[in-house]
Amino acid sequence: MNKKPNIVFITTDQQHWNTINALGNSHISTPNLDRLVENGVTFERTYVASPVCSPSRSSIITGEYPSRHGCWNIGVELNEDRHTIGQSLKDEGYKTGLFGKAHFKPVLKEGSFEAPPHIHNREFWKNFNGPYYGFEHVEMVHGHSDEDSSHGMHYGVWLEEKGINPKDYFGPGGGHREGSWNLPEEYHYTRWTADRTMEFIEKNANQEPFFAWCSFQDPHNAFLCPEPWNSMYAPNDMPPFNMLEGEMKDKPLIHQYLIEGRLKDLDVNVTSDPGHDTGGIQCLGKTTYSIGEERAKKWLASYYGMISLIDHHVGRILDQVEQLGIKENTLIVFTSDHGDYAGNHGLWLKGPIHYEDVVRVPFIAQWTGTIPAGKRTQSLLSLVDVAPTLLDICGVDKQGHMQGISQFETFKSPDRCLRDWCLVENRAEPTFYVKTLVMDRYKLNYYLGRAEGELYDLENDPNEFTNLFNHKDYEAIKLKMFIKLTEVYGELENIYPQRQSFA
């Protein structure tokens, strides 16, 4: 048995925190995520560093917030010189692999490594397997549903090797279909990502310790899912959305303009994915009010189907780890890069409105015999803690640039809380910047330069219907939160390199 543990790190893209049956959502079937919950520790208050793909993923691998690592939004590249967890573990003798979605570079900018036309250069991808951002071996895919980009990179090569003509299922103008997808499930990118991960695990199970990142790109919109998964859920059986008539009246203008369908009247452009408009489905701007209740329920039913499909393949990975006899020496972590409004507050997809729906994510850790089973904790955890925590578990010193903390002690003792705050940064545009501070009970969202904000009592108002930001009785709490936010940034200004001593 390896002295250092193996790590299987499983992520999804845009998965709402409340989409696991064992954690209270009886409307969804997730038997394999339920297994993880039963056999591991669930952090029920896990927050992202940013509710946008590229910044969040960059924070996961660097242990830094976007304001430090520099990838502040989609369309901005993470500098390849940034030190990552992949590099740290590779230097310690780990075999490191990333399978599925990376998204550390722009995916719409011509000339980008992760954008067309380069991702469709089949000859290049046949001969390239890394290294990439510190990961020794990579097999990648990007794009969502039937977008043209979805059949690129290594996955596109594999499809053609299997005799699949991508034009039959993907293409220019894709990303707008909804519901049932005629792509056979055996050729779906979710299965492909799991298969590539499992091949890597099997190859390295009895050799060096390994770090395998299984990076699923669903349940991100568009909500298109192969059968039989799309038909698992009837739209009329979906749970009600968390909405309250008139709830936007005391909230910042962006809330009101969005619901009223006049987002263009705002004085800045605030899409989280600039220019990313696939068939009219933008990352900000679609609401239940604009698409209608019937269509919204269909979206949610397909969204759940996408999650159940992922859950099925998570189960295959869990079974493999057991069958290979490496369960006691393998840490398995499951989380998502950010959430989705999923119809709550009348909103869909993601954007710079920081409801729990988009800034809070599922997080489960299982390591048989080392961390307890069946425990759920309210201890705060940030995705910026992932890199320092995994390094600590592997006996590797935390890199000096990392701003997150190791949560290994909380993994082992879930009642122990090592954080009293979580920070979320979202520079949706250079002139539209939202910062969120979450503490034990209260949550502050502040829109920099706009004199607008939100203050929620998560204990008494978990659905965030009532904004207390301008409420006279909460002025002292608001001031306390602002002071804490200032102190947080003082803490994050790590002093590195060390100051030279003088005799």
Side-chain angles (χ1 to χ4, degrees), residues 45 247-248 250-252 255 345 353-356 436-445 447 453-469 474 477-478 481:
R45 300 194 68 198
E247 66 169 291
M248 301 301 184
D250 60 356
K251 296 180 180 179
H255 297 67
H345 306 281
I353 297 178
H354 286 185
Y355 288 120
E356 296 283 276
T436 289
L437 183 70
V438 180
M439 298 191 71
D440 183 49
R441 177 172 175 177
Y442 293 98
K443 173 181 175 182
L444 173 73
N445 302 325
Y447 298 73
E454 297 157 84
L455 178 66
Y456 296 110
D457 180 346
L458 296 178
E459 183 178 304
N460 292 322
D461 180 26
N463 291 321
E464 301 170 284
F465 288 146
T466 304
N467 182 15
L468 304 171
F469 189 81
Y474 288 85
I477 292 173
K478 182 171 71 173
M481 296 289 285

Side-chain angles (χ1 to χ4, degrees), residues 359-390:
V359 300
R360 184 176 162 195
V361 289
F363 192 100
I364 314 165
Q366 173 191 299
W367 188 3
T368 303
T370 300
I371 64 178
K375 296 292 186 181
R376 296 163 64 171
T377 178
Q378 293 292 306
S379 297
L380 291 171
L381 183 146
S382 169
L383 292 191
V384 81
D385 299 334
V386 168
T389 300
L390 297 185

Side-chain angles (χ1 to χ4, degrees), residues 253-503:
L253 284 177
I254 186 173
H255 297 67
Q256 301 171 38
Y257 282 16
L258 183 55
I259 292 300
E260 294 169 6
R262 53 192 191 101
L263 192 60
K264 293 181 180 179
D265 292 343
L266 205 63
D267 53 353
V268 290
N269 177 26
V270 289
T271 60
S272 279
D273 199 349
H276 193 174
D277 185 349
T278 54
I281 301 177
Q282 288 185 304
C283 285
L284 188 67
K286 290 298 178 183
T287 69
T288 298
Y289 304 99
S290 65
I291 68 173
E293 182 81 10
E294 181 179 356
R295 189 179 178 197
K297 291 291 187 181
K298 289 181 179 178
W299 276 13
L300 191 61
S302 293
Y303 183 71
Y304 277 22
M306 295 162 91
I307 293 171
S308 288
L309 172 57
I310 291 170
D311 177 86
H312 170 71
H313 291 292
V314 168
R316 294 177 59 224
I317 295 171
L318 297 182
D319 290 344
Q320 182 196 38
V321 168
E322 292 185 11
Q323 292 163 5
L324 290 172
I326 59 173
K327 183 176 180 180
E328 285 72 24
N329 197 43
T330 302
L331 169 68
I332 300 173
V333 174
F334 174 87
T335 190
S336 190
D337 62 353
H338 57 79
D340 189 304
Y341 298 118
N344 295 318
H345 306 281
L347 306 178
W348 281 94
L349 316 181
K350 61 181 181 283
I353 297 178
H354 286 185
Y355 288 120
E356 296 283 276
D357 307 286
V358 294
V359 300
R360 184 176 162 195
V361 289
F363 192 100
I364 314 165
Q366 173 191 299
W367 188 3
T368 303
T370 300
I371 64 178
K375 296 292 186 181
R376 296 163 64 171
T377 178
Q378 293 292 306
S379 297
L380 291 171
L381 183 146
S382 169
L383 292 191
V384 81
D385 299 334
V386 168
T389 300
L390 297 185
L391 290 179
D392 187 15
I393 288 171
C394 297
V396 181
D397 291 337
K398 170 184 170 179
Q399 294 290 316
H401 64 87
M402 291 183 173
Q403 296 171 299
I405 63 172
S406 171
Q407 294 269 11
F408 188 23
E409 290 304 315
T410 307
F411 276 28
K412 294 184 291 185
S413 303
D415 293 333
R416 182 178 183 184
C417 184
L418 298 177
R419 277 192 172 278
D420 64 358
W421 55 268
C422 281
L423 174 70
V424 182
E425 299 179 333
N426 189 351
R427 190 183 284 273
E429 296 294 336
T431 57
F432 199 95
Y433 197 174
V434 187
K435 290 183 183 288
T436 289
L437 183 70
V438 180
M439 298 191 71
D440 183 49
R441 177 172 175 177
Y442 293 98
K443 173 181 175 182
L444 173 73
N445 302 325
Y446 187 63
Y447 298 73
L448 275 66
R450 304 187 66 84
E452 292 184 301
E454 297 157 84
L455 178 66
Y456 296 110
D457 180 346
L458 296 178
E459 183 178 304
N460 292 322
D461 180 26
N463 291 321
E464 301 170 284
F465 288 146
T466 304
N467 182 15
L468 304 171
F469 189 81
N470 293 314
H471 199 293
K472 186 175 181 180
D473 292 345
Y474 288 85
E475 289 179 352
I477 292 173
K478 182 171 71 173
L479 177 60
K480 179 181 178 181
M481 296 289 285
F482 272 116
I483 292 173
K484 182 64 177 179
L485 183 61
T486 303
E487 292 176 345
V488 162
Y489 276 96
E491 287 184 41
L492 295 179
E493 293 173 1
N494 294 345
I495 302 173
Y496 75 99
Q498 293 296 313
R499 182 179 181 182
Q500 182 179 351
S501 297
F502 294 93

Side-chain angles (χ1 to χ4, degrees), residues 42-287:
T42 302
F43 285 77
E44 297 187 280
R45 300 194 68 198
T46 298
Y47 290 88
V48 301
S50 171
V52 186
C53 296
S54 294
S56 180
R57 290 166 178 271
S58 297
S59 291
I60 288 171
I61 65 171
T62 64
E64 302 173 309
Y65 289 93
S67 56
R68 170 164 288 178
H69 63 58
C71 181
W72 55 270
N73 202 345
I74 293 173
V76 180
E77 178 176 330
L78 177 67
N79 192 314
E80 289 193 50
D81 292 336
R82 304 303 292 188
H83 194 92
T84 70
I85 184 175
Q87 185 62 52
S88 290
L89 292 178
K90 181 178 179 293
D91 292 345
E92 291 293 322
Y94 272 75
K95 292 295 185 182
T96 59
L98 167 59
F99 308 93
K101 181 175 180 176
H103 205 177
F104 305 129
K105 293 180 182 289
V107 297
L108 298 171
K109 181 180 179 182
E110 187 172 353
S112 171
F113 188 83
E114 294 191 39
H118 181 253
I119 61 172
H120 295 308
N121 182 347
R122 302 298 196 216
E123 290 305 312
F124 173 84
W125 295 101
K126 286 178 183 177
N127 297 290
F128 174 79
N129 286 110
Y132 195 59
Y133 285 94
F135 290 90
E136 183 179 19
H137 183 90
V138 296
E139 295 185 54
M140 301 194 298
V141 58
H142 182 74
H144 304 285
S145 66
D146 60 346
E147 292 175 339
D148 182 60
S149 59
S150 296
H151 66 91
M153 300 177 161
H154 299 96
Y155 173 62
V157 171
W158 178 83
L159 282 175
E160 292 197 353
E161 290 175 349
K162 294 296 181 181
I164 299 297
N165 183 354
K167 293 181 180 179
D168 292 340
Y169 305 102
F170 309 86
H176 63 276
R177 285 193 289 170
E178 303 167 10
S180 181
W181 193 6
N182 63 333
L183 176 70
E185 192 272 337
E186 63 188 289
Y187 299 119
H188 191 264
Y189 46 66
T190 291
R191 174 178 286 274
W192 178 86
T193 298
D195 285 349
R196 300 283 70 74
T197 304
M198 294 171 68
E199 182 178 292
F200 178 83
I201 291 172
E202 183 170 14
K203 179 180 178 180
N204 294 285
N206 296 308
Q207 300 179 37
E208 297 88 350
F210 64 81
F211 175 71
W213 183 357
C214 179
S215 180
F216 296 114
Q217 65 263 46
D218 279 349
H220 189 290
N221 58 287
F223 305 120
L224 184 67
C225 189
E227 298 298 351
W229 306 97
N230 186 72
S231 297
M232 280 188 68
Y233 303 97
N236 290 337
D237 293 337
M238 290 293 92
F241 303 121
N242 291 325
M243 300 169 61
L244 183 65
E245 185 176 354
E247 66 169 291
M248 301 301 184
K249 67 180 184 302
D250 60 356
K251 296 180 180 179
L253 284 177
I254 186 173
H255 297 67
Q256 301 171 38
Y257 282 16
L258 183 55
I259 292 300
E260 294 169 6
R262 53 192 191 101
L263 192 60
K264 293 181 180 179
D265 292 343
L266 205 63
D267 53 353
V268 290
N269 177 26
V270 289
T271 60
S272 279
D273 199 349
H276 193 174
D277 185 349
T278 54
I281 301 177
Q282 288 185 304
C283 285
L284 188 67
K286 290 298 178 183
T287 69

Side-chain angles (χ1 to χ4, degrees), residues 26-39:
S26 61
H27 296 271
I28 194 168
S29 174
T30 53
N32 297 297
L33 292 178
D34 294 352
R35 285 166 59 188
L36 277 178
V37 171
E38 293 164 5
N39 295 313

